[in-house]
Amino acid sequence: MRERAGGTLPGLFAYSGEGGSDAVDQVDPSRWSFWGSARLTGVDVNATEADLEGTQVNALAGASYRLNDRLVMGVFAGYEVMDFEDDGDARFEGDGFTGGVYAAWRPTAGLRFDAQLSGTSLLYDVRSGAVTTSFGANRLIAAAGVTGMQRFGAIAFEPSLRATGVWEDQDAHFDSASVAHAARKFHFGKISAGTKASTEIYLGEGRSLIPYVAAYADYRFSGGETTATLEAFDDLSARFSAGFTARLNASTSLGFDADVSGLGLEDVLMWSLKARLGIAF
């Protein structure tokens, strides 16, 4: 039987369960899975003198290789584009390319550890009134988590604890008014704890539908040369998610996720929609 468990990245544990070659150094086709995802995120921040709102799109694709029945490693690459503006005639746009690696270890059927590391090269374009500027930036993201799984009848519960850190360095630059802007470094992080509940509805002929709901508590913090907009995210908040995974056959799955976060924060509200595809070989 094919067994799967979701993670921060699609395909994190999309692998064949028992069977196949026991030799780790053999490239068994059933050990590979390929995945892709696209996420649209909306942000509304009211922490500064002018309201800030906008959207960001992230597209990722990756490949996982199952070293054995308990260990999976993979690589991924992606592209992001963002567009934010406020009611004070200022606009912030940017795009960039991402590359990274990840791994997951499942010591038992009901416990999983995973970690990922990625880097992004960005180019920002900023306009404030008639003044414009462009500058480059580099971002590093590291994340790790532990997820459990326990079934109660037809319902599977997956409690999890996850930590994420982000570090960004922005280049020094001159704007169109010949004003110099120094290089800037800042960081922020998030610790999340919560649980996901799902059930599998069998549709016959190897197909099934797995709907889920999830609730998490997020604690965000920031440091370095931050801004009022970034600091508006700092504090304890709630996040709710819902979605489904549709297994089309033994090797192909489609999914859709929706979540809203920042609940409980005075000046921030975020939402996101995500589509994903996984194919195992």
Side-chain angles (χ1 to χ4, degrees):
M1 296 181 63
R2 190 170 297 278
E3 186 167 275
R4 302 169 189 266
T8 41
L9 294 172
L12 194 60
F13 251 106
Y15 61 85
S16 168
E18 299 298 329
S21 172
D22 293 328
V24 173
D25 58 350
Q26 291 186 6
V27 182
D28 181 350
S30 66
R31 294 175 179 267
W32 286 97
S33 64
F34 299 91
W35 55 267
S37 70
R39 180 191 292 270
L40 171 65
T41 303
V43 180
D44 189 359
V45 182
N46 300 299
T48 56
E49 295 180 357
D51 294 342
L52 177 70
E53 61 180 15
T55 57
Q56 178 169 328
V57 176
N58 291 78
L60 289 174
S64 299
Y65 182 70
R66 176 175 60 88
L67 279 76
N68 53 53
D69 288 341
R70 299 186 184 276
L71 183 62
V72 170
M73 301 184 69
V75 296
F76 64 95
Y79 174 73
E80 68 179 68
V81 58
M82 65 193 76
D83 186 356
F84 297 95
E85 58 183 345
D86 63 26
D87 56 8
D89 195 27
R91 190 164 189 168
F92 182 88
E93 299 176 283
D95 66 343
F97 291 92
T98 296
V101 296
Y102 59 93
W105 175 53
R106 191 175 67 169
T108 66
L111 185 64
R112 183 180 74 250
F113 297 90
D114 64 83
Q116 65 184 81
L117 181 67
S118 65
T120 303
S121 178
L122 296 146
L123 178 63
Y124 293 123
D125 294 309
V126 182
R127 175 181 57 81
S128 180
V131 179
T132 61
T133 187
S134 297
F135 57 92
N138 293 298
R139 181 192 304 146
L140 178 68
I141 301 177
V146 56
T147 303
M149 199 278 282
Q150 181 66 50
R151 289 190 177 274
F152 294 92
I155 307 298
F157 290 92
E158 297 178 71
S160 63
L161 176 64
R162 176 164 299 278
T164 303
V166 181
W167 296 263
E168 184 164 323
D169 295 349
Q170 297 180 350
D171 297 340
H173 58 281
F174 286 88
D175 62 29
S176 60
S178 299
V179 176
H181 298 264
R184 190 165 72 99
K185 296 183 179 181
F186 59 90
H187 59 268
F188 55 93
K190 181 176 73 173
I191 299 174
S192 299
T195 191
K196 171 183 174 181
S198 63
T199 188
E200 187 163 10
I201 303 170
Y202 295 96
L203 305 176
E205 298 182 354
R207 297 173 299 171
S208 64
L209 182 67
I210 308 172
Y212 78 88
V213 293
Y216 302 93
D218 296 335
Y219 179 72
R220 292 182 174 88
F221 52 93
S222 61
E225 299 165 281
T226 62
T227 63
T229 299
L230 187 61
E231 291 171 355
F233 292 83
D234 293 353
D235 213 337
L236 186 65
S237 63
R239 171 167 50 98
F240 293 97
S241 303
F244 66 86
T245 297
R247 293 180 180 170
L248 306 183
N249 50 50
S251 61
T252 306
S253 65
L254 295 171
F256 182 80
D257 310 292
D259 70 55
V260 58
S261 60
L263 299 174
L265 295 177
E266 183 178 356
D267 300 311
V268 174
L269 184 65
M270 294 182 293
W271 57 265
S272 72
L273 302 173
K274 179 180 179 181
R276 46 192 165 81
L277 168 68
I279 302 175
F281 292 90

